[in-house]
Amino acid sequence: MLLLSMRSTHTKQKMQDNYQRIDDRYNDIAKKLQHSNHTALNAEEKQLFSAIMFHEEIFNGGLLSWLTNINSNYAQDVKLAMKACNMLERLAILNKTASLFSAEKIPEDLHKRLQEISMWPDRKLQELEELDNNYYNIGNSRFYDELA
């Protein structure tokens, strides 16, 4: 029992360390963005920032919220981050979300994306809601460990 307790404590500490490391990187990137835009970031920074924004926006309002926000302009960076971090379940959901669009790719332009979403039939919106639920079922707590 003591060994199990020690493992649990070690695992919690590792999760906290991973979260802190990612949070520190995110804050550094956010400081850069105060004085510039997304193009000022290197590839790794773009991917990390975009993946965090994707995750947090989904947990704050769902995929529809993310898709109707400027941050989904960087869906390709989210995909690259998920591939690099082996987030296969999350990547599959992102790919299924992209398949809802006519070109089977999330448009990088917000206005084009909004225009297409506004014409979606209820069936596609229901599919998007199912994808939300699938994402929520993966869980929130592992995300930062997977990014680390």
Side-chain angles (χ1 to χ4, degrees):
M1 189 65 157
L2 180 60
L3 183 57
L4 184 59
S5 177
M6 288 173 58
R7 282 187 189 154
S8 177
T9 302
H10 176 73
T11 301
K12 286 179 186 175
Q13 184 61 48
K14 184 178 177 187
M15 288 175 70
Q16 288 173 340
D17 291 346
N18 286 342
Y19 176 83
Q20 190 60 53
R21 191 167 64 248
I22 297 297
D23 190 52
D24 290 345
R25 292 281 326 276
Y26 175 83
N27 288 328
D28 290 343
I29 294 167
K31 286 177 189 171
K32 268 188 178 181
L33 290 174
Q34 288 177 343
H35 306 290
S36 190
N37 62 30
H38 202 264
T39 59
L41 303 177
N42 67 39
E44 182 185 346
E45 290 169 331
K46 286 178 188 177
Q47 291 170 24
L48 178 65
F49 184 81
S50 298
I52 290 170
M53 294 307 297
F54 169 80
H55 178 75
E56 295 299 331
E57 286 182 19
I58 290 174
F59 270 89
N60 190 40
L63 283 160
L64 185 60
S65 176
W66 178 72
L67 288 169
T68 57
N69 188 298
I70 194 84
N71 287 316
S72 59
N73 287 5
Y74 309 106
Q76 189 60 32
D77 289 323
V78 177
K79 275 185 162 185
L80 292 171
M82 289 181 174
K83 284 180 186 177
C85 296
N86 205 31
M87 298 178 168
L88 302 181
E89 288 176 281
R90 297 178 200 279
L91 180 60
I93 290 168
L94 181 57
N95 287 334
K96 287 177 185 173
T97 301
S99 75
L100 296 173
F101 289 89
S102 58
E104 299 208 0
K105 180 182 180 215
I106 297 170
E108 292 180 8
D109 180 83
L110 177 61
H111 298 293
K112 290 178 183 177
R113 208 168 42 251
L114 292 174
Q115 184 176 20
E116 187 166 344
I117 291 170
S118 73
M119 297 186 309
W120 279 359
D122 288 345
R123 173 189 55 79
K124 283 194 177 188
L125 294 171
Q126 289 169 345
E127 286 180 53
L128 194 62
E129 193 172 319
E130 288 173 22
L131 291 169
D132 273 338
N133 291 330
N134 292 342
Y135 194 88
Y136 300 144
N137 287 336
I138 295 171
N140 190 16
S141 61
R142 288 186 3 225
F143 178 79
Y144 290 94
D145 287 331
E146 293 168 348
L147 266 184

